[in-house]
Amino acid sequence: MVQLYNLHPFGSQQVVPCQREPEQFCCGGPDALFVASGCKVEAFAVQGTELCQPRCSFSTLGRVLRMAYSEAGDYLVAIEEKSKTTFLRAYMNWRSKRTENSRVCIRMVGHNVEAPFCESFRDQMSIIEMPLSEAPLCISCCPVKGDLLVGCTNKLVLFTLKYCVINEEFSVLDFERSLIIHIDNIIPVEISFCVGYVAVMSDLEVLILKLESDPTNGERVKHHPQKTNSQLKQMEDASHESSQLEAEDFVICLKPMELLGEKCEQSGISVKLESTGLADEKVKYLSVQHLLYRRFAPDISFYVLSDNIKLHSLQLLPIHQTGFPPDGKVLSQEKELLSLFCFFSLPHVGYLYMVVKSVELMSVYWYPEKSQQAVLTPQFLHVITSQSLQCFTVRCSAAVAHEEDLYMDSTLKACPPVSLDVCALRIQLFIGLKAICHFKNHIILLTKADPEAIPERRESPKRLLSRKGASVRSRIPPIPEAGWSLYIVNTIAPVQLYKEMVDYSNTYKTVKTQSCIHLLSEAHLLLRAALMDSSHLEPSEKAELLEAFKESCGHLGDCYSRLDTEQSHLALPYYKMSGLSLAEVLARVACTGECESQKYERGLIFYITHSLYENLDEELSEELAAKVAQIFHVAEPKQLPHVLCSPSMKNIDPLTAFHYLKTLDTCEFSPVLMTLTKAAVALKMGDLDLYRNEMKSHSEMKLVYGFILEPRLLIQQWKGQIIPTELAIHLKETQPGLLVASVLGLQKNGKIGIEEADSFFKVLCGKDEDTIPQLLVDFWEAQLVACLPNMVLQELFFKLTSQYIWRLSKRQCPDTIPLRTAEDLINACSHYGLVYPWVHVLLSSDSLGDKNYTEDLLKLQILWWKKLLPELCQKVKCGGEKHQLYLSSLKEALSVIAVGLDLKDFLNVLPEDGAAAFFLPYLLFCSRKKSLT
C-alpha cells in the first residue's frame, strides 16, 4: 500500500546551459556535473540553489555510450564508441583543464611513467586507457574506495584505484586490473559495485554477490580455463536449438524465482574468480559469497510491447555515519559504512533490499504509471515516468537504526519500523521526461518536449523470454530536435520539509491518529537519514537538524501517549529521546482540569509510571504533582500508592494525597501497602494519632511485606544519593527493630544492594563513611541471623569483627542501645557459639567491667576464634589492598586479649596450621609488658 501526500520536497529549478542535446550525463562529488554529446563532454560546477556554471569541456575518443563519476579519486570514466569499436577511458585531474587547447596526457593503465614526466601531470588532465579483451557493456565506480568494475559478456573486470606516490606533496592516480569475475549464463545490462559487493542485472535477472578476502565461505579463487572446443560446440548447439525453437514459434517461459544465500546455486549461474593483481596487493578477494538471485517472469499480456518487461535502475546504496549521529555523540570525520541497500525496478514496481548482515526485502514500490528510470537516495526514491517526477519515502535509516543500535526498541530508544507503508510525497508534472540522476540535494532531469520520439526497432517478444537470446543493444542516438532541456531541481532542506510534514500532520490529529503517526514517522525518518551523514553541513545546520530530530520525537511521543493500543508503550522511548522533562510532557497533555470523568490513555499512563519509577531527579510542582495524582486516580488507581512514593511527587499537598487514598476501593490493593502509604502521608500532615492508628492495624511481619512491595516508602534516591524518607527517620526513633527487619527484607528480595543498605543506615544516623552507627551493626547482626549466602557471610564476619575490635580498643560505646544481646545472638544464630571459659577471665577485669564492653567481647568471641582468625591470618599473609586493615585489626584485638590471658592459654586457642608462629614475637612482647605491670 502506498499512501499519497501532496507535500513539496522539490524547491527551486535551474537550467543547465549545455550547448547540444545530452546523450549521457552523470554527477557526483561536491559539485560536479558532466554532460556528454557526440564526442565532447562538458563539465559544470553546481553550487548553491541558483548557480550552475560551465567549468571546462574536453573531447572524447568517440561517442559516449556510458559514463560514471567517482568521488573517490575525482575521476570520470566512460565507455566510448568509435568506428563500431568500444573503448574504456578514465579522465583524471579534469579540473585542471582550463581551455579547450590545454595539454592532455594519455597513458595506458598500469604504465610506469618516469618521475620527470609525472611532475607534469600535476597541472594537466590525464586520460588512462584500459584495454579489454571483450567490449565493455556497463561500468560502476565504488562510492567508497573508487575502484572500477566493468561489465562484459559473461564476465566482470575489477580495476583497483591506486595512489602512486611521486613525492611527499604529489601522487598520481592509476588503476590495476586486479580481478576477473567469470559469470556464465548472464549478460550484464547494468552493474553496481560497492566495497566488495557486486550487483549484476540483465533484462529480467538480478544477482548480488559479495567478494571476500577470507576464503572460508563461498567459492575459492581459481584460474578460469579457456573453453574447450567441446564446450564451445555445446554452447553453439544450445544456441542453435533455441533459435530453432523460436523459429517454430515456441515460447520459453522461465518461472519467477527468488533465491537467498547458498540456494543461489540453483539459479544455474556459475561464478568463478580469477586473480590478476600483484602479489603484494593490499586487498585481495579470495572467495565469493552468493547473496541473492532473483528472476522475474515476463507478463505475457505485454508480449507485444517488449520494453514493458525489462528491469532498470540497478543501484547499490551505502549508508555512512559521520560527525553527528541522532544521539548527539560526536564521531570522527572518517566515514563508517553502516549498511548497504540494493534497488532495482520493473516498469510498474520497484524492489529495495538490505544486503549487509542479512539479505531482506524491505520495501516494494508500486508506481501509478509506467516508470522509465529511478534513483535511490538515503532519504527518498525518485522515479520518473514520461510525464511526472515522483518522490517516495525509503526505510534505509530505519533499517540502519534497528540493525546498529543495541538500545533500539527498548524503553530508551525507538524508531519507526522498516515495515512502515511507503508513501509518495509528491508527483510533480514534467513534459517529456527522459532520464534522471542525483547527487547531494540536486536532481538532474533531461526532458524533451516533442512527444513523438522516434520509435526504436522492437525485437521479437519470443527472444526476450529466453535468457539465451538476451543481448545488449547500444541506444541509437536520436536525431537532434528542438525542445529538450536539462534541469537541476533542488530538493528543499530536510528541516524545511520536516516542518511542512508536521504542519500537514495536524490535519489528522483529531480525525485519524494512525495517519498522524504515519506522517510524523516519515518526518522522523527524514531527519534521521540526514543526521546519519551530516559531514557536509555547517555546525549551525547540524544543530538545527538535531533540534528538529528531538522535536519530532516529542511529536511522536504525543501521538503514542493518546493511544490505547499495543503500540502505546512507544510514548516512553520517544519522550526520552525528545529530551523533554516530565513537567514539560505533562504541560503538553490536553487537560480540561480535574475532571473525574476525563479519559487518559494507556500510552500516557505508561510513560508517567516508568518516569516516576526511574528516579528522574525532577521535582514536580505542587500543581503538577496534584495533576499526576488525579490522572492515576481516574485511569490507574491501583498504581496510586506507588506514584505517591516517588521522589518527584514530594511537593504534593498531603491533604490532597490523603483524599485520593481515602476514596480508593481497598479491595483492589494490598491492604498493608495502602496502610503504609496512608501512614507516610499522615506523618507529612503532622497527624501522629492517625499515623499510629494506621501502623497498629497490621502486624510487624505484614508491615515488612508492605515495605518490600514499595521500597520507596523507606529509601529514595535523589541525584545519585540515597535519601531516607520521613517515615524511615520516624521508625529509627520509634521502631528501630521494624526498620532493620524491613531493610533486611528489601535486601533478601533484591530490592536493595548490600552497599546501598550500608549507606542508607549511615545517612539515616547522620554518620560519615568512616563511622559505623549501632543501627548498622544491628543490621549486620540481623543479616547473620537471616543465614545469607556464604559470600555475603564472609564479608559480614569481617565487618562485625572489625567493629567489635574497634569499639573494644577505643573504649567506644554504641551510639544507641543494641537490638540484640550476645545471648540473643548465640541462641538465634549458629555463627555465634558458646563462650570459652578464658573469656570470663577477661570479663572479671575491672577495666572491662562495663556492660557494653562485655557484650562486644562476647559477640567477638565463634565470630573470631573459630571462624575468622584462620581466614584473617591467611589474608594477612597474602597481602593485597586490605593488608594494613587486617593487620591493624589483629594487633588491636591481640593487644586487648593478651593483657588478660596467660601465654600458654592463648596459644592453645590459636589455629594449628602453623600460623601461630606469625604472632609469637608480638605475643612475647605483650607477655613481658604484663609481667612488668
Side-chain angles (χ1 to χ4, degrees):
M1 176 182 177
V2 177
Q3 301 194 31
L4 178 60
Y5 299 106
N6 192 27
L7 298 169
H8 300 84
F10 309 123
S12 60
Q13 173 181 304
Q14 53 185 317
V15 177
V16 180
C18 48
Q19 301 299 318
R20 296 188 295 175
E21 178 181 354
E23 296 178 4
Q24 298 289 334
F25 60 93
C26 66
C27 50
D31 62 348
L33 171 62
F34 300 93
V35 181
S37 180
C39 297
K40 188 176 182 181
V41 173
E42 295 179 83
F44 298 89
V46 182
Q47 298 174 346
T49 58
E50 298 292 342
L51 190 62
C52 178
Q53 293 184 340
R55 171 174 276 149
C56 66
S57 64
F58 48 88
S59 299
T60 60
L61 185 62
R63 184 169 60 89
V64 177
L65 303 180
R66 300 278 185 102
M67 66 178 182
Y69 169 78
S70 173
E71 182 175 0
D74 192 27
Y75 69 87
L76 180 73
V77 63
I79 298 177
E80 305 170 16
E81 181 185 52
K82 182 179 181 181
S83 302
K84 297 184 179 180
T85 303
T86 54
F87 302 88
L88 182 64
R89 306 174 99 204
Y91 296 84
M92 304 287 191
N93 201 23
W94 52 273
R95 295 178 188 269
S96 65
K97 195 170 191 312
R98 307 299 179 187
T99 65
E100 186 73 23
N101 297 325
S102 299
R103 292 182 59 187
V104 174
C105 172
I106 302 178
R107 55 193 172 96
M108 195 70 70
V109 65
H111 179 63
N112 293 326
V113 183
E114 296 181 1
F117 293 96
C118 289
E119 287 292 339
S120 64
F121 293 168
R122 187 193 302 268
D123 300 320
Q124 67 180 20
M125 185 177 79
S126 61
I127 302 175
I128 301 179
E129 294 188 344
M130 291 171 274
L132 295 166
S133 60
E134 296 182 17
L137 304 176
C138 45
I139 50 178
S140 176
C141 302
C142 174
V144 178
K145 296 184 178 180
D147 298 339
L148 172 65
L149 188 67
V150 184
C152 305
T153 303
N154 292 329
K155 72 178 180 182
L156 310 175
V157 182
L158 177 61
F159 290 89
T160 303
L161 183 65
K162 298 173 57 179
Y163 293 83
C164 304
V165 179
I166 305 303
N167 54 48
E168 294 181 355
E169 300 178 354
F170 179 59
S171 61
V172 175
L173 290 177
D174 198 1
F175 292 94
E176 178 187 352
R177 190 175 70 168
S178 59
L179 185 69
I180 299 178
I181 308 171
H182 297 274
I183 304 180
D184 293 336
N185 299 331
I186 187 170
I187 299 178
V189 174
E190 291 185 35
I191 58 174
S192 188
F193 180 64
C194 182
V195 286
Y197 288 85
V198 177
V200 186
M201 186 180 79
S202 66
D203 284 342
L204 288 172
E205 294 169 290
V206 174
L207 176 66
I208 303 178
L209 309 169
K210 181 183 180 183
L211 304 177
E212 297 181 322
S213 56
D214 181 6
T216 54
N217 297 321
E219 301 178 24
R220 292 292 304 270
V221 172
K222 59 183 74 175
H223 177 70
H224 188 68
Q226 297 294 325
K227 291 183 174 64
T228 61
N229 292 335
S230 60
Q231 290 175 319
L232 293 174
K233 187 175 185 301
Q234 291 176 1
M235 294 179 63
E236 291 176 358
D237 292 343
S239 176
H240 175 72
E241 181 180 356
S242 175
S243 301
Q244 184 177 5
L245 288 173
E246 291 177 3
E248 296 173 358
D249 290 335
F250 280 94
V251 176
I252 302 176
C253 288
L254 299 176
K255 294 181 179 179
M257 181 183 298
E258 183 186 48
L259 303 174
L260 302 177
E262 296 178 355
K263 293 184 178 180
C264 293
E265 298 175 0
Q266 302 173 13
S267 65
I269 299 177
S270 64
V271 180
K272 297 180 181 179
L273 303 184
E274 177 185 352
S275 180
T276 60
L278 299 177
D280 60 349
E281 183 184 349
K282 291 184 179 179
V283 179
K284 291 182 70 67
Y285 295 114
L286 303 178
S287 63
V288 61
Q289 180 183 355
H290 297 261
L291 300 180
L292 171 70
Y293 171 78
R294 183 153 187 178
R295 181 174 66 207
F296 296 89
D299 191 338
I300 302 301
S301 62
F302 291 114
Y303 74 94
V304 178
L305 302 175
S306 60
D307 287 342
N308 285 352
I309 55 172
K310 289 185 178 180
L311 290 165
H312 64 75
S313 304
L314 176 68
Q315 183 180 349
L316 286 176
L317 176 71
I319 298 294
H320 301 95
Q321 178 168 300
T322 58
F324 236 77
D327 59 5
K329 180 182 176 183
V330 178
L331 300 179
S332 64
Q333 289 302 309
E334 183 178 353
K335 288 186 176 181
E336 176 189 358
L337 182 65
L338 293 182
S339 195
L340 188 69
F341 303 88
C342 183
F343 175 82
F344 48 86
S345 181
L346 285 169
H348 288 280
V349 60
Y351 301 89
L352 179 60
Y353 281 84
M354 180 170 61
V355 296
V356 173
K357 293 186 178 179
S358 62
V359 181
E360 179 182 352
L361 179 61
M362 285 176 46
S363 302
V364 177
Y365 295 86
W366 293 96
Y367 314 132
E369 52 185 330
K370 176 187 173 183
S371 65
Q372 298 184 163
Q373 196 177 352
V375 290
L376 179 68
T377 75
Q379 297 175 341
F380 301 114
L381 173 68
H382 299 288
V383 181
I384 59 169
T385 67
S386 60
Q387 302 296 327
S388 66
L389 167 63
Q390 303 174 9
C391 177
F392 295 89
T393 57
V394 296
R395 305 286 167 256
C396 296
S397 60
V400 172
H402 288 285
E403 219 29 64
E404 299 294 329
D405 198 328
L406 298 178
Y407 295 100
M408 198 58 65
D409 300 326
S410 67
T411 59
L412 297 176
K413 293 183 180 180
C415 180
V418 177
S419 59
L420 190 70
D421 289 341
V422 298
C423 69
L425 295 184
R426 182 78 174 179
I427 298 180
Q428 185 74 43
L429 295 180
F430 276 88
I431 298 177
L433 282 170
K434 299 298 181 184
I436 182 175
C437 70
H438 173 276
F439 79 113
K440 288 180 64 175
N441 61 325
H442 306 294
I443 300 171
I444 318 299
L445 297 173
L446 174 62
T447 66
K448 191 171 183 182
D450 185 4
E452 297 180 1
I454 299 177
E456 300 182 75
R457 180 178 63 86
R458 305 194 182 278
E459 296 185 2
S460 166
K462 293 178 291 184
R463 290 188 60 85
L464 294 173
L465 300 180
S466 171
R467 182 169 62 216
K468 295 293 185 181
S471 62
V472 178
R473 296 179 289 109
S474 299
R475 185 171 65 86
I476 301 175
I479 299 176
E481 297 179 13
W484 61 266
S485 292
L486 193 64
Y487 295 103
I488 299 178
V489 178
N490 302 302
T491 56
I492 67 173
V495 173
Q496 183 179 346
L497 181 57
Y498 157 76
K499 291 179 179 178
E500 182 181 350
M501 297 171 85
V502 171
D503 291 340
Y504 193 13
S505 70
N506 290 331
T507 61
Y508 293 102
K509 265 190 176 179
T510 57
V511 183
K512 294 181 179 178
T513 307
Q514 288 295 341
S515 295
C516 180
I517 289 179
H518 187 278
L519 191 51
L520 289 174
S521 297
E522 298 290 1
H524 177 88
L525 291 178
L526 172 70
L527 297 174
R528 185 180 283 275
L531 281 167
M532 282 183 175
D533 188 4
S534 57
S535 57
H536 62 282
L537 298 178
E538 296 295 327
S540 59
E541 295 175 307
K542 294 179 182 179
E544 185 183 20
L545 267 177
L546 188 59
E547 189 62 31
F549 179 83
K550 292 181 178 179
E551 182 186 282
S552 75
C553 294
H555 289 314
L556 284 170
D558 291 341
C559 285
Y560 284 109
S561 69
R562 296 194 297 265
L563 286 184
D564 192 22
T565 67
E566 60 181 11
Q567 299 297 319
S568 59
H569 67 281
L570 293 175
L572 176 62
Y574 278 120
Y575 274 141
K576 282 188 176 180
M577 294 164 65
S578 71
L580 293 170
S581 66
L582 176 58
E584 290 171 328
V585 171
L586 290 172
R588 296 161 74 103
V589 178
C591 234
T592 59
E594 295 192 6
C595 176
E596 296 292 330
S597 62
Q598 181 167 350
K599 181 175 175 59
Y600 299 99
E601 300 297 350
R602 191 165 59 179
L604 177 64
I605 300 299
F606 185 83
Y607 163 72
I608 300 178
T609 302
H610 275 262
S611 298
L612 294 178
Y613 265 103
E614 291 175 2
N615 301 319
L616 295 180
D617 298 337
E618 177 185 356
E619 287 187 14
L620 296 178
S621 66
E622 180 179 342
E623 180 184 1
L624 286 179
K627 181 176 182 178
V628 170
Q630 187 263 335
I631 289 174
F632 279 89
H633 181 258
V634 172
E636 197 79 12
K638 65 181 179 180
Q639 290 293 331
L640 187 57
H642 299 283
V643 168
L644 293 175
C645 293
S646 170
S648 299
M649 297 285 288
K650 64 183 302 182
N651 293 327
I652 190 171
D653 179 17
L655 292 174
T656 302
F658 199 84
H659 164 71
Y660 285 125
L661 289 172
K662 190 169 59 175
T663 58
L664 294 179
D665 184 1
T666 56
C667 297
E668 300 180 7
F669 306 92
S670 167
V672 66
L673 176 59
M674 181 66 70
T675 293
L676 288 174
T677 308
K678 287 182 179 179
V681 174
L683 271 182
K684 288 185 178 182
M685 295 166 58
D687 192 338
L688 293 180
D689 291 335
L690 179 59
Y691 165 78
R692 283 189 286 265
N693 289 335
E694 292 292 342
M695 295 296 285
K696 289 178 181 178
S697 60
H698 295 284
S699 66
E700 184 172 297
M701 184 176 295
K702 286 188 176 181
L703 292 176
V704 170
Y705 173 72
F707 285 121
I708 294 174
L709 291 177
E710 183 45 79
R712 292 179 299 177
L713 283 164
L714 292 177
I715 304 172
Q716 297 182 350
Q717 287 195 353
W718 186 256
K719 296 183 178 179
Q721 301 296 321
I722 292 179
I723 307 295
T725 64
E726 189 175 343
L727 177 57
I729 296 173
H730 189 75
L731 288 176
K732 169 183 171 291
E733 302 297 333
T734 58
Q735 294 177 277
L738 173 59
L739 179 62
V740 169
S742 299
V743 177
L744 181 62
L746 296 181
Q747 182 186 340
K748 293 183 67 174
N749 286 272
K751 298 299 181 70
I752 188 174
I754 296 175
E755 294 182 0
E756 289 178 295
D758 290 0
S759 298
F760 166 74
F761 282 108
K762 289 181 181 180
V763 175
L764 179 66
C765 298
K767 304 296 183 180
D768 57 29
E769 285 295 323
D770 298 328
T771 305
I772 306 298
Q774 175 58 38
L775 201 59
L776 179 54
V777 177
D778 292 331
F779 175 65
W780 290 342
E781 292 174 349
Q783 287 179 295
L784 279 185
V785 174
C787 298
L788 296 178
N790 287 333
M791 291 183 63
V792 179
L793 285 177
Q794 297 304 316
E795 189 66 26
L796 274 175
F797 291 153
F798 288 120
K799 286 180 180 179
L800 283 169
T801 302
S802 299
Q803 183 61 18
Y804 295 151
I805 292 173
W806 180 83
R807 290 206 302 223
L808 287 169
S809 63
K810 299 294 183 180
R811 305 294 194 270
Q812 184 72 41
C813 296
D815 56 342
T816 58
I817 299 176
L819 295 179
R820 289 181 173 86
T821 65
E823 186 177 355
D824 293 335
L825 291 175
I826 291 173
N827 294 333
C829 178
S830 61
H831 302 299
Y832 290 89
L834 296 176
V835 178
Y836 279 107
W838 59 263
V839 178
H840 295 290
V841 177
L842 297 178
L843 298 182
S844 63
S845 171
D846 293 338
S847 61
L848 297 178
D850 187 275
K851 182 180 179 182
N852 291 319
Y853 297 138
T854 302
E855 290 295 324
D856 281 347
L857 191 57
L858 289 173
K859 292 176 181 178
L860 171 65
Q861 186 265 329
I862 280 269
L863 288 186
W864 177 250
W865 294 110
K866 286 195 172 181
K867 288 191 175 291
L868 288 184
L869 185 58
E871 295 186 22
L872 190 56
C873 293
Q874 187 64 30
K875 294 278 187 181
V876 171
K877 288 191 293 185
C878 293
E881 295 181 0
K882 297 186 177 181
H883 172 79
Q884 291 299 327
L885 173 63
Y886 297 144
L887 191 59
S888 176
S889 299
L890 274 174
K891 288 181 178 180
E892 291 170 355
L894 292 171
S895 297
V896 175
I897 297 173
V899 171
L901 285 181
D902 291 334
L903 181 60
K904 180 181 177 181
D905 295 331
F906 186 80
L907 289 176
N908 286 336
V909 296
L910 288 178
E912 297 180 357
D913 62 350
F918 179 81
F919 302 100
L920 284 177
Y922 187 77
L923 294 174
L924 288 172
F925 174 74
C926 292
S927 179
R928 291 193 190 101
K929 282 202 315 181
K930 178 183 177 185
S931 61
L932 290 175
T933 303

